[in-house]
Amino acid sequence: MRFSRGPVLILLALLAACAPSSPRPASLPPEDRAAIAARLEADIAVLASDAMAGRRPGTPGGRDTSAWIEQRMGEAGLVSGTNDPGSYWRLPVDLLGIQPETAALVLGQGRRRVTVPAADAAVYTPRRRALAFGGPGTGVPVVFVGYGDGSVLGDALAGAVAVMLADQGRDTERRNALFRQRATAVLTVVPDGEALAAVRAAAERPRLLLASEEEDNLAAYITDKAFAEVIGARRWAAWKAEAADRAFAPIELNLAVSLEATSDRREFASQNIIGMIPGSAPGTGAVLVLGHWDHLGECGPAGALDRICNGAADNASGIAMMLELARRLKAGAPLGRDIYFLATTAEEPGLLGIRAFVKDPPLPLASIVAAFNLDMMAVAPQGSPVGFVGRGKDGGLDAAVLAALARHGRQLGDQSLADSFLMRQDGWALVQAGVPAVLLSSTYGSRAILDPFIAARYHQPSDEIAGIELGGAVDDLLLHEDLIRLIADPARYPAKAGSRP
């Protein structure tokens, strides 16, 4: 969304002129900063303890984490944000865990059938078992689409087995396009064993999906050499040469194909947890504060003395900050707008919890005037520059953030670094849904701060309570408190035209 510079600059000036609604970090007494840091550390210590076992969704540690957050929301004085009398704190998120198990690929011409060795082929399905046949006598055509996506065939591809040539960077998009055209299965011919090994490394890790987004497909891979041995090297070379021509049209192959794959599936429910502070001006919209509670569980190498990835910075620190903000906002002056506090599940495997929230929100998304994501908040020392993830997506929110930075004497950090994290955090799902959302953290303000953490602790058992740094976290908490109080005031931060409180 683009904004003209004039109105934004005017809003920036007005916001900068507003009296600060929370103390500047430099003016906050040291004992008050120390008390905030102590509360943050205590909460991080619980969330990042071995007792929580890495907070993986669907595990006892994940369930204990959810229960603890619910308890702390109640202690902070929040009320339910589900808007569902039957579920006080919890917004259920149905998840599907998939682990590939067995696979078989058989090809043939005439009466000859060849079971392709596992070293040269792989087959995957998200279902417990999937089986497909194609070729002469089956009624299912086998269609070679070359480097294309089969779109020229339209409905004619429905039910077919599609064979495509690998084309790095485009394969996933093309494969998905073939499945959208209802291909029964897609067989991708990869250049060599190294390319097949890369496929295996990506596809054979346990995956977590939203149950509502379950895929129903059968994807197979074979090395170029193994395919040529069945088809015939000369014929295969000729087909590949034809496929490289811009005028290439898909062709039906006289090839028998049999594919089978099985997976271990586990369906289970996790939960987003949501509380709120009701505002004194109903119908004026809401502010959303969010952070993901999940982490990786056991992720250290087999046999290591410590295998638990405790996730102290990522993201026990964000949840601890959310709870401290809730406590401080609840204890302070009344707020005009409703303030929602959302702890999301399953961020690590692909922003699943926030995507579930966007699909079935407990309040109209259009009523959210601003959202603040808290992720990896305990890495930088006091006085560090602020990473502004999400800048440029909403002119009004940008102006409010920049004015708050000025009030607090904070320096804006490396914008290119912050921009590189836009699509890697929960706020991205909100931005895509039209909700103004930002992540403000001194963690993302400088490579000198972030890079050592990524190298030594990120997604490793070493991300433990002993390694957190709370100086920058306290700075960032005070910045958020100031911003939320400003945006919660409809008179100081009017809702945009077109929003629906």
PDB file of all heavy atoms in Angstrom, residues 282-321:
ATOM      1  N   PRO A 282     -15.882   1.073  23.674  1.00  0.00           N
ATOM      2  CA  PRO A 282     -16.247  -0.051  22.786  1.00  0.00           C
ATOM      3  C   PRO A 282     -16.577   0.434  21.382  1.00  0.00           C
ATOM      4  O   PRO A 282     -17.102   1.536  21.187  1.00  0.00           O
ATOM      5  CB  PRO A 282     -17.491  -0.639  23.471  1.00  0.00           C
ATOM      6  CG  PRO A 282     -17.420  -0.174  24.888  1.00  0.00           C
ATOM      7  CD  PRO A 282     -16.755   1.170  24.854  1.00  0.00           C
ATOM      8  N   GLY A 283     -16.247  -0.414  20.420  1.00  0.00           N
ATOM      9  CA  GLY A 283     -16.561  -0.090  19.038  1.00  0.00           C
ATOM     10  C   GLY A 283     -15.551   0.784  18.340  1.00  0.00           C
ATOM     11  O   GLY A 283     -15.777   1.209  17.201  1.00  0.00           O
ATOM     12  N   THR A 284     -14.407   1.052  19.002  1.00  0.00           N
ATOM     13  CA  THR A 284     -13.383   1.902  18.371  1.00  0.00           C
ATOM     14  C   THR A 284     -12.214   1.100  17.828  1.00  0.00           C
ATOM     15  O   THR A 284     -11.214   1.673  17.404  1.00  0.00           O
ATOM     16  CB  THR A 284     -12.859   2.937  19.377  1.00  0.00           C
ATOM     17  OG1 THR A 284     -12.324   2.260  20.526  1.00  0.00           O
ATOM     18  CG2 THR A 284     -13.968   3.881  19.819  1.00  0.00           C
ATOM     19  N   GLY A 285     -12.319  -0.225  17.838  1.00  0.00           N
ATOM     20  CA  GLY A 285     -11.253  -1.055  17.311  1.00  0.00           C
ATOM     21  C   GLY A 285     -10.419  -1.674  18.418  1.00  0.00           C
ATOM     22  O   GLY A 285     -10.726  -1.552  19.608  1.00  0.00           O
ATOM     23  N   ALA A 286      -9.348  -2.355  18.017  1.00  0.00           N
ATOM     24  CA  ALA A 286      -8.526  -3.104  18.969  1.00  0.00           C
ATOM     25  C   ALA A 286      -7.055  -3.011  18.591  1.00  0.00           C
ATOM     26  O   ALA A 286      -6.702  -2.754  17.436  1.00  0.00           O
ATOM     27  CB  ALA A 286      -8.969  -4.572  18.998  1.00  0.00           C
ATOM     28  N   VAL A 287      -6.198  -3.236  19.594  1.00  0.00           N
ATOM     29  CA  VAL A 287      -4.759  -3.387  19.399  1.00  0.00           C
ATOM     30  C   VAL A 287      -4.416  -4.837  19.733  1.00  0.00           C
ATOM     31  O   VAL A 287      -4.939  -5.389  20.716  1.00  0.00           O
ATOM     32  CB  VAL A 287      -3.963  -2.429  20.301  1.00  0.00           C
ATOM     33  CG1 VAL A 287      -2.454  -2.619  20.093  1.00  0.00           C
ATOM     34  CG2 VAL A 287      -4.361  -0.980  20.033  1.00  0.00           C
ATOM     35  N   LEU A 288      -3.571  -5.453  18.928  1.00  0.00           N
ATOM     36  CA  LEU A 288      -3.187  -6.854  19.132  1.00  0.00           C
ATOM     37  C   LEU A 288      -1.703  -6.927  19.465  1.00  0.00           C
ATOM     38  O   LEU A 288      -0.865  -6.367  18.751  1.00  0.00           O
ATOM     39  CB  LEU A 288      -3.481  -7.666  17.868  1.00  0.00           C
ATOM     40  CG  LEU A 288      -3.060  -9.139  17.875  1.00  0.00           C
ATOM     41  CD1 LEU A 288      -3.846  -9.927  18.912  1.00  0.00           C
ATOM     42  CD2 LEU A 288      -3.255  -9.760  16.490  1.00  0.00           C
ATOM     43  N   VAL A 289      -1.379  -7.615  20.562  1.00  0.00           N
ATOM     44  CA  VAL A 289      -0.002  -7.910  20.946  1.00  0.00           C
ATOM     45  C   VAL A 289       0.165  -9.422  20.863  1.00  0.00           C
ATOM     46  O   VAL A 289      -0.650 -10.166  21.430  1.00  0.00           O
ATOM     47  CB  VAL A 289       0.310  -7.418  22.370  1.00  0.00           C
ATOM     48  CG1 VAL A 289       1.774  -7.677  22.722  1.00  0.00           C
ATOM     49  CG2 VAL A 289      -0.026  -5.932  22.512  1.00  0.00           C
ATOM     50  N   LEU A 290       1.177  -9.881  20.160  1.00  0.00           N
ATOM     51  CA  LEU A 290       1.308 -11.322  19.960  1.00  0.00           C
ATOM     52  C   LEU A 290       2.754 -11.791  20.043  1.00  0.00           C
ATOM     53  O   LEU A 290       3.690 -11.005  19.875  1.00  0.00           O
ATOM     54  CB  LEU A 290       0.719 -11.742  18.616  1.00  0.00           C
ATOM     55  CG  LEU A 290       1.434 -11.264  17.340  1.00  0.00           C
ATOM     56  CD1 LEU A 290       1.237 -12.277  16.212  1.00  0.00           C
ATOM     57  CD2 LEU A 290       0.912  -9.892  16.891  1.00  0.00           C
ATOM     58  N   GLY A 291       2.917 -13.069  20.306  1.00  0.00           N
ATOM     59  CA  GLY A 291       4.218 -13.727  20.291  1.00  0.00           C
ATOM     60  C   GLY A 291       3.989 -15.225  20.254  1.00  0.00           C
ATOM     61  O   GLY A 291       2.975 -15.712  20.745  1.00  0.00           O
ATOM     62  N   HIS A 292       4.914 -15.967  19.682  1.00  0.00           N
ATOM     63  CA  HIS A 292       4.710 -17.427  19.608  1.00  0.00           C
ATOM     64  C   HIS A 292       5.318 -18.103  20.831  1.00  0.00           C
ATOM     65  O   HIS A 292       6.413 -17.758  21.276  1.00  0.00           O
ATOM     66  CB  HIS A 292       5.270 -18.000  18.304  1.00  0.00           C
ATOM     67  CG  HIS A 292       6.761 -18.072  18.202  1.00  0.00           C
ATOM     68  ND1 HIS A 292       7.484 -19.186  18.582  1.00  0.00           N
ATOM     69  CD2 HIS A 292       7.673 -17.187  17.739  1.00  0.00           C
ATOM     70  CE1 HIS A 292       8.774 -18.992  18.355  1.00  0.00           C
ATOM     71  NE2 HIS A 292       8.924 -17.782  17.851  1.00  0.00           N
ATOM     72  N   TRP A 293       4.561 -19.075  21.385  1.00  0.00           N
ATOM     73  CA  TRP A 293       5.022 -19.768  22.577  1.00  0.00           C
ATOM     74  C   TRP A 293       5.805 -21.029  22.262  1.00  0.00           C
ATOM     75  O   TRP A 293       6.511 -21.560  23.143  1.00  0.00           O
ATOM     76  CB  TRP A 293       3.853 -20.108  23.506  1.00  0.00           C
ATOM     77  CG  TRP A 293       2.781 -21.038  22.983  1.00  0.00           C
ATOM     78  CD1 TRP A 293       1.538 -20.681  22.569  1.00  0.00           C
ATOM     79  CD2 TRP A 293       2.837 -22.477  22.858  1.00  0.00           C
ATOM     80  NE1 TRP A 293       0.808 -21.793  22.182  1.00  0.00           N
ATOM     81  CE2 TRP A 293       1.592 -22.912  22.357  1.00  0.00           C
ATOM     82  CE3 TRP A 293       3.820 -23.442  23.128  1.00  0.00           C
ATOM     83  CZ2 TRP A 293       1.303 -24.254  22.108  1.00  0.00           C
ATOM     84  CZ3 TRP A 293       3.535 -24.785  22.879  1.00  0.00           C
ATOM     85  CH2 TRP A 293       2.297 -25.170  22.383  1.00  0.00           C
ATOM     86  N   ASP A 294       5.726 -21.542  21.058  1.00  0.00           N
ATOM     87  CA  ASP A 294       6.328 -22.843  20.750  1.00  0.00           C
ATOM     88  C   ASP A 294       7.812 -22.739  20.450  1.00  0.00           C
ATOM     89  O   ASP A 294       8.325 -21.681  20.095  1.00  0.00           O
ATOM     90  CB  ASP A 294       5.622 -23.473  19.554  1.00  0.00           C
ATOM     91  CG  ASP A 294       5.877 -22.693  18.257  1.00  0.00           C
ATOM     92  OD1 ASP A 294       5.554 -21.489  18.224  1.00  0.00           O
ATOM     93  OD2 ASP A 294       6.416 -23.268  17.290  1.00  0.00           O
ATOM     94  N   HIS A 295       8.490 -23.872  20.575  1.00  0.00           N
ATOM     95  CA  HIS A 295       9.872 -23.997  20.100  1.00  0.00           C
ATOM     96  C   HIS A 295      10.049 -25.410  19.539  1.00  0.00           C
ATOM     97  O   HIS A 295       9.066 -26.035  19.138  1.00  0.00           O
ATOM     98  CB  HIS A 295      10.862 -23.668  21.217  1.00  0.00           C
ATOM     99  CG  HIS A 295      12.230 -23.342  20.692  1.00  0.00           C
ATOM    100  ND1 HIS A 295      12.452 -22.363  19.748  1.00  0.00           N
ATOM    101  CD2 HIS A 295      13.447 -23.884  20.959  1.00  0.00           C
ATOM    102  CE1 HIS A 295      13.748 -22.297  19.473  1.00  0.00           C
ATOM    103  NE2 HIS A 295      14.372 -23.216  20.189  1.00  0.00           N
ATOM    104  N   LEU A 296      11.253 -25.928  19.493  1.00  0.00           N
ATOM    105  CA  LEU A 296      11.568 -27.118  18.704  1.00  0.00           C
ATOM    106  C   LEU A 296      11.570 -28.420  19.483  1.00  0.00           C
ATOM    107  O   LEU A 296      11.755 -29.483  18.878  1.00  0.00           O
ATOM    108  CB  LEU A 296      12.944 -26.949  18.026  1.00  0.00           C
ATOM    109  CG  LEU A 296      13.115 -25.708  17.157  1.00  0.00           C
ATOM    110  CD1 LEU A 296      14.523 -25.673  16.577  1.00  0.00           C
ATOM    111  CD2 LEU A 296      12.085 -25.679  16.044  1.00  0.00           C
ATOM    112  N   GLY A 297      11.422 -28.376  20.804  1.00  0.00           N
ATOM    113  CA  GLY A 297      11.514 -29.616  21.566  1.00  0.00           C
ATOM    114  C   GLY A 297      12.951 -30.102  21.632  1.00  0.00           C
ATOM    115  O   GLY A 297      13.872 -29.330  21.890  1.00  0.00           O
ATOM    116  N   GLU A 298      13.145 -31.377  21.395  1.00  0.00           N
ATOM    117  CA  GLU A 298      14.504 -31.931  21.364  1.00  0.00           C
ATOM    118  C   GLU A 298      15.055 -31.788  19.950  1.00  0.00           C
ATOM    119  O   GLU A 298      14.528 -32.376  19.007  1.00  0.00           O
ATOM    120  CB  GLU A 298      14.493 -33.398  21.788  1.00  0.00           C
ATOM    121  CG  GLU A 298      14.146 -33.606  23.259  1.00  0.00           C
ATOM    122  CD  GLU A 298      14.341 -35.050  23.699  1.00  0.00           C
ATOM    123  OE1 GLU A 298      14.725 -35.883  22.857  1.00  0.00           O
ATOM    124  OE2 GLU A 298      14.104 -35.333  24.890  1.00  0.00           O
ATOM    125  N   CYS A 299      16.115 -31.013  19.814  1.00  0.00           N
ATOM    126  CA  CYS A 299      16.678 -30.817  18.468  1.00  0.00           C
ATOM    127  C   CYS A 299      18.182 -31.003  18.439  1.00  0.00           C
ATOM    128  O   CYS A 299      18.805 -30.859  17.384  1.00  0.00           O
ATOM    129  CB  CYS A 299      16.321 -29.422  17.935  1.00  0.00           C
ATOM    130  SG  CYS A 299      17.132 -28.079  18.801  1.00  0.00           S
ATOM    131  N   GLY A 300      18.783 -31.327  19.570  1.00  0.00           N
ATOM    132  CA  GLY A 300      20.213 -31.597  19.580  1.00  0.00           C
ATOM    133  C   GLY A 300      20.520 -32.941  18.961  1.00  0.00           C
ATOM    134  O   GLY A 300      19.650 -33.803  18.811  1.00  0.00           O
ATOM    135  N   PRO A 301      21.771 -33.179  18.553  1.00  0.00           N
ATOM    136  CA  PRO A 301      22.136 -34.453  17.920  1.00  0.00           C
ATOM    137  C   PRO A 301      21.952 -35.627  18.861  1.00  0.00           C
ATOM    138  O   PRO A 301      22.078 -35.496  20.085  1.00  0.00           O
ATOM    139  CB  PRO A 301      23.621 -34.262  17.550  1.00  0.00           C
ATOM    140  CG  PRO A 301      24.100 -33.151  18.431  1.00  0.00           C
ATOM    141  CD  PRO A 301      22.931 -32.264  18.672  1.00  0.00           C
ATOM    142  N   ALA A 302      21.614 -36.779  18.287  1.00  0.00           N
ATOM    143  CA  ALA A 302      21.429 -37.995  19.081  1.00  0.00           C
ATOM    144  C   ALA A 302      22.696 -38.284  19.871  1.00  0.00           C
ATOM    145  O   ALA A 302      23.804 -38.193  19.352  1.00  0.00           O
ATOM    146  CB  ALA A 302      21.090 -39.167  18.172  1.00  0.00           C
ATOM    147  N   GLY A 303      22.529 -38.625  21.138  1.00  0.00           N
ATOM    148  CA  GLY A 303      23.658 -38.946  21.987  1.00  0.00           C
ATOM    149  C   GLY A 303      24.261 -37.758  22.707  1.00  0.00           C
ATOM    150  O   GLY A 303      25.122 -37.935  23.581  1.00  0.00           O
ATOM    151  N   ALA A 304      23.831 -36.540  22.373  1.00  0.00           N
ATOM    152  CA  ALA A 304      24.361 -35.353  23.044  1.00  0.00           C
ATOM    153  C   ALA A 304      23.878 -35.310  24.485  1.00  0.00           C
ATOM    154  O   ALA A 304      22.788 -35.789  24.806  1.00  0.00           O
ATOM    155  CB  ALA A 304      23.932 -34.094  22.302  1.00  0.00           C
ATOM    156  N   LEU A 305      24.696 -34.723  25.372  1.00  0.00           N
ATOM    157  CA  LEU A 305      24.302 -34.622  26.765  1.00  0.00           C
ATOM    158  C   LEU A 305      23.076 -33.729  26.928  1.00  0.00           C
ATOM    159  O   LEU A 305      22.243 -33.961  27.799  1.00  0.00           O
ATOM    160  CB  LEU A 305      25.473 -34.066  27.593  1.00  0.00           C
ATOM    161  CG  LEU A 305      26.689 -34.984  27.736  1.00  0.00           C
ATOM    162  CD1 LEU A 305      27.795 -34.275  28.512  1.00  0.00           C
ATOM    163  CD2 LEU A 305      26.289 -36.281  28.443  1.00  0.00           C
ATOM    164  N   ASP A 306      22.967 -32.709  26.104  1.00  0.00           N
ATOM    165  CA  ASP A 306      21.823 -31.794  26.165  1.00  0.00           C
ATOM    166  C   ASP A 306      21.181 -31.746  24.790  1.00  0.00           C
ATOM    167  O   ASP A 306      21.757 -31.206  23.840  1.00  0.00           O
ATOM    168  CB  ASP A 306      22.286 -30.392  26.585  1.00  0.00           C
ATOM    169  CG  ASP A 306      21.127 -29.413  26.716  1.00  0.00           C
ATOM    170  OD1 ASP A 306      19.961 -29.854  26.620  1.00  0.00           O
ATOM    171  OD2 ASP A 306      21.390 -28.211  26.917  1.00  0.00           O
ATOM    172  N   ARG A 307      19.995 -32.299  24.671  1.00  0.00           N
ATOM    173  CA  ARG A 307      19.297 -32.303  23.385  1.00  0.00           C
ATOM    174  C   ARG A 307      18.121 -31.329  23.348  1.00  0.00           C
ATOM    175  O   ARG A 307      17.540 -31.109  22.293  1.00  0.00           O
ATOM    176  CB  ARG A 307      18.778 -33.714  23.066  1.00  0.00           C
ATOM    177  CG  ARG A 307      19.886 -34.766  22.921  1.00  0.00           C
ATOM    178  CD  ARG A 307      19.334 -36.001  22.231  1.00  0.00           C
ATOM    179  NE  ARG A 307      18.882 -35.677  20.888  1.00  0.00           N
ATOM    180  CZ  ARG A 307      17.754 -36.157  20.345  1.00  0.00           C
ATOM    181  NH1 ARG A 307      16.959 -36.941  21.046  1.00  0.00           N
ATOM    182  NH2 ARG A 307      17.425 -35.834  19.117  1.00  0.00           N
ATOM    183  N   ILE A 308      17.757 -30.751  24.492  1.00  0.00           N
ATOM    184  CA  ILE A 308      16.579 -29.888  24.541  1.00  0.00           C
ATOM    185  C   ILE A 308      16.921 -28.504  24.008  1.00  0.00           C
ATOM    186  O   ILE A 308      17.858 -27.850  24.480  1.00  0.00           O
ATOM    187  CB  ILE A 308      16.038 -29.772  25.978  1.00  0.00           C
ATOM    188  CG1 ILE A 308      15.559 -31.138  26.476  1.00  0.00           C
ATOM    189  CG2 ILE A 308      14.890 -28.758  26.037  1.00  0.00           C
ATOM    190  CD1 ILE A 308      15.117 -31.134  27.921  1.00  0.00           C
ATOM    191  N   CYS A 309      16.157 -28.063  23.022  1.00  0.00           N
ATOM    192  CA  CYS A 309      16.251 -26.686  22.561  1.00  0.00           C
ATOM    193  C   CYS A 309      15.258 -25.874  23.383  1.00  0.00           C
ATOM    194  O   CYS A 309      14.057 -25.895  23.120  1.00  0.00           O
ATOM    195  CB  CYS A 309      15.940 -26.597  21.069  1.00  0.00           C
ATOM    196  SG  CYS A 309      17.332 -27.092  20.036  1.00  0.00           S
ATOM    197  N   ASN A 310      15.765 -25.182  24.400  1.00  0.00           N
ATOM    198  CA  ASN A 310      14.906 -24.511  25.379  1.00  0.00           C
ATOM    199  C   ASN A 310      14.284 -23.226  24.838  1.00  0.00           C
ATOM    200  O   ASN A 310      13.247 -22.790  25.339  1.00  0.00           O
ATOM    201  CB  ASN A 310      15.697 -24.197  26.646  1.00  0.00           C
ATOM    202  CG  ASN A 310      16.269 -25.442  27.294  1.00  0.00           C
ATOM    203  OD1 ASN A 310      17.367 -25.866  26.966  1.00  0.00           O
ATOM    204  ND2 ASN A 310      15.513 -26.045  28.191  1.00  0.00           N
ATOM    205  N   GLY A 311      14.901 -22.601  23.846  1.00  0.00           N
ATOM    206  CA  GLY A 311      14.307 -21.416  23.240  1.00  0.00           C
ATOM    207  C   GLY A 311      14.106 -20.272  24.216  1.00  0.00           C
ATOM    208  O   GLY A 311      13.021 -19.692  24.288  1.00  0.00           O
ATOM    209  N   ALA A 312      15.158 -19.902  24.958  1.00  0.00           N
ATOM    210  CA  ALA A 312      15.025 -18.817  25.924  1.00  0.00           C
ATOM    211  C   ALA A 312      14.778 -17.485  25.220  1.00  0.00           C
ATOM    212  O   ALA A 312      13.832 -16.762  25.544  1.00  0.00           O
ATOM    213  CB  ALA A 312      16.277 -18.739  26.800  1.00  0.00           C
ATOM    214  N   ALA A 313      15.611 -17.168  24.242  1.00  0.00           N
ATOM    215  CA  ALA A 313      15.383 -15.943  23.463  1.00  0.00           C
ATOM    216  C   ALA A 313      14.261 -16.148  22.465  1.00  0.00           C
ATOM    217  O   ALA A 313      13.440 -15.252  22.242  1.00  0.00           O
ATOM    218  CB  ALA A 313      16.672 -15.510  22.764  1.00  0.00           C
ATOM    219  N   ASP A 314      14.205 -17.334  21.862  1.00  0.00           N
ATOM    220  CA  ASP A 314      13.262 -17.643  20.785  1.00  0.00           C
ATOM    221  C   ASP A 314      12.292 -18.744  21.249  1.00  0.00           C
ATOM    222  O   ASP A 314      12.578 -19.904  21.060  1.00  0.00           O
ATOM    223  CB  ASP A 314      14.052 -18.094  19.561  1.00  0.00           C
ATOM    224  CG  ASP A 314      13.189 -18.406  18.362  1.00  0.00           C
ATOM    225  OD1 ASP A 314      12.031 -17.939  18.332  1.00  0.00           O
ATOM    226  OD2 ASP A 314      13.662 -19.118  17.454  1.00  0.00           O
ATOM    227  N   ASN A 315      11.120 -18.457  21.834  1.00  0.00           N
ATOM    228  CA  ASN A 315      10.647 -17.113  22.031  1.00  0.00           C
ATOM    229  C   ASN A 315      10.048 -16.985  23.426  1.00  0.00           C
ATOM    230  O   ASN A 315       9.003 -16.388  23.635  1.00  0.00           O
ATOM    231  CB  ASN A 315       9.604 -16.747  20.976  1.00  0.00           C
ATOM    232  CG  ASN A 315       9.158 -15.319  21.036  1.00  0.00           C
ATOM    233  OD1 ASN A 315       9.946 -14.430  21.284  1.00  0.00           O
ATOM    234  ND2 ASN A 315       7.877 -15.086  20.851  1.00  0.00           N
ATOM    235  N   ALA A 316      10.721 -17.642  24.422  1.00  0.00           N
ATOM    236  CA  ALA A 316      10.287 -17.419  25.798  1.00  0.00           C
ATOM    237  C   ALA A 316      10.344 -15.932  26.130  1.00  0.00           C
ATOM    238  O   ALA A 316       9.500 -15.411  26.866  1.00  0.00           O
ATOM    239  CB  ALA A 316      11.168 -18.223  26.758  1.00  0.00           C
ATOM    240  N   SER A 317      11.321 -15.239  25.547  1.00  0.00           N
ATOM    241  CA  SER A 317      11.468 -13.812  25.846  1.00  0.00           C
ATOM    242  C   SER A 317      10.279 -13.007  25.331  1.00  0.00           C
ATOM    243  O   SER A 317       9.826 -12.058  25.981  1.00  0.00           O
ATOM    244  CB  SER A 317      12.775 -13.273  25.253  1.00  0.00           C
ATOM    245  OG  SER A 317      12.761 -13.315  23.833  1.00  0.00           O
ATOM    246  N   GLY A 318       9.758 -13.358  24.159  1.00  0.00           N
ATOM    247  CA  GLY A 318       8.613 -12.634  23.620  1.00  0.00           C
ATOM    248  C   GLY A 318       7.363 -12.841  24.453  1.00  0.00           C
ATOM    249  O   GLY A 318       6.585 -11.896  24.684  1.00  0.00           O
ATOM    250  N   ILE A 319       7.141 -14.074  24.921  1.00  0.00           N
ATOM    251  CA  ILE A 319       5.975 -14.342  25.774  1.00  0.00           C
ATOM    252  C   ILE A 319       6.133 -13.634  27.111  1.00  0.00           C
ATOM    253  O   ILE A 319       5.171 -13.059  27.650  1.00  0.00           O
ATOM    254  CB  ILE A 319       5.783 -15.854  25.959  1.00  0.00           C
ATOM    255  CG1 ILE A 319       5.460 -16.530  24.620  1.00  0.00           C
ATOM    256  CG2 ILE A 319       4.689 -16.128  26.983  1.00  0.00           C
ATOM    257  CD1 ILE A 319       4.176 -16.044  23.970  1.00  0.00           C
ATOM    258  N   ALA A 320       7.337 -13.659  27.674  1.00  0.00           N
ATOM    259  CA  ALA A 320       7.564 -12.961  28.938  1.00  0.00           C
ATOM    260  C   ALA A 320       7.291 -11.469  28.781  1.00  0.00           C
ATOM    261  O   ALA A 320       6.680 -10.839  29.652  1.00  0.00           O
ATOM    262  CB  ALA A 320       8.997 -13.196  29.415  1.00  0.00           C
ATOM    263  N   MET A 321       7.718 -10.877  27.669  1.00  0.00           N
ATOM    264  CA  MET A 321       7.469  -9.457  27.445  1.00  0.00           C
ATOM    265  C   MET A 321       5.984  -9.190  27.267  1.00  0.00           C
ATOM    266  O   MET A 321       5.454  -8.190  27.759  1.00  0.00           O
ATOM    267  CB  MET A 321       8.252  -8.953  26.233  1.00  0.00           C
ATOM    268  CG  MET A 321       8.128  -7.440  26.039  1.00  0.00           C
ATOM    269  SD  MET A 321       9.115  -6.795  24.664  1.00  0.00           S
ATOM    270  CE  MET A 321      10.763  -6.997  25.316  1.00  0.00           C
TER     271      MET A 321
END
